[in-house]
Amino acid sequence: MNNISEFMTNNHRECDMLFAVAEENVAKGKWQQAESDFQAFRSALERHLGMEEDVFFPAFDAKTGMEMGPTHVMRGEHQQMRKLIEDMGHSLRDKDGDGFLGASETLMVLTQQHNMKEEQMLYRMMDQALGVDAARLLERAGA
């Protein structure tokens, strides 16, 4: 696969599925399973964010010269997501379903808006700007 947009959009869906499973188990009070599922989600999301921040964003910024452009905005949103995930982890540890589900609702809204911007705009811009370099970058990202 040499298309950043396709690969990263599919990766969004994988993270979304893991998130939904963790959220469902918290709602059912299945704390041990929820902990395991949440850690799987957290790992997958960190891997995804890392691919963007360590591989794709720097390459895109270097190619376009837009260091304070769309990737800057996305990095800021990543920090907001990480804070919510940290809050969710604390709530999970304390078996606070309401706290977890409140933070997860906020995370879901933020993530949906974030993913839409990436999928409809940024990833396509990356595919166009990075062209033939995309395959090498995908390999570097572990695709």
Side-chain angles (χ1 to χ4, degrees):
M1 177 182 305
N2 61 359
N3 181 303
I4 293 168
S5 185
E6 182 181 343
F7 175 75
M8 294 303 280
T9 296
N10 288 340
N11 196 251
H12 279 165
R13 301 300 164 262
E14 292 167 13
C15 290
D16 291 346
M17 287 189 312
L18 292 169
F19 177 73
V21 170
E23 192 176 45
E24 181 179 326
N25 282 315
V26 167
K28 291 179 178 178
K30 295 181 177 180
W31 298 109
Q32 191 170 7
Q33 187 61 46
E35 176 67 35
S36 173
D37 294 335
F38 180 71
Q39 292 309 325
F41 161 68
R42 190 178 211 166
S43 281
L45 184 64
E46 266 310 320
R47 180 176 177 275
H48 177 87
L49 300 179
M51 285 188 286
E52 291 178 342
E53 294 172 350
D54 300 336
V55 178
F56 299 120
F57 290 0
F60 179 77
D61 291 346
K63 189 78 161 185
T64 64
M66 292 195 292
E67 291 176 15
M68 295 303 288
T71 62
H72 177 75
V73 173
M74 296 297 109
R75 284 183 180 96
E77 291 180 5
H78 289 176
Q79 289 309 109
Q80 293 174 316
M81 295 162 108
R82 286 182 173 111
K83 173 66 174 108
L84 288 164
I85 289 168
E86 184 179 324
D87 293 347
M88 290 164 65
H90 293 304
S91 294
L92 190 58
R93 182 194 64 221
D94 298 339
K95 294 181 174 51
D96 175 7
D98 290 340
F100 182 95
L101 295 172
S104 75
E105 186 175 328
T106 303
L107 179 64
M108 187 182 341
V109 170
L110 175 62
T111 301
Q112 286 174 340
Q113 292 171 348
H114 178 85
N115 290 356
M116 189 170 59
K117 287 183 270 190
E118 287 182 336
E119 292 169 13
Q120 293 182 2
M121 191 175 59
L122 183 57
Y123 293 157
R124 292 176 186 181
M125 291 169 67
M126 286 181 176
D127 283 330
Q128 186 175 12
L130 298 171
V132 295
D133 293 333
R136 178 183 54 80
L137 292 168
L138 282 161
E139 186 175 308
R140 195 171 135 217

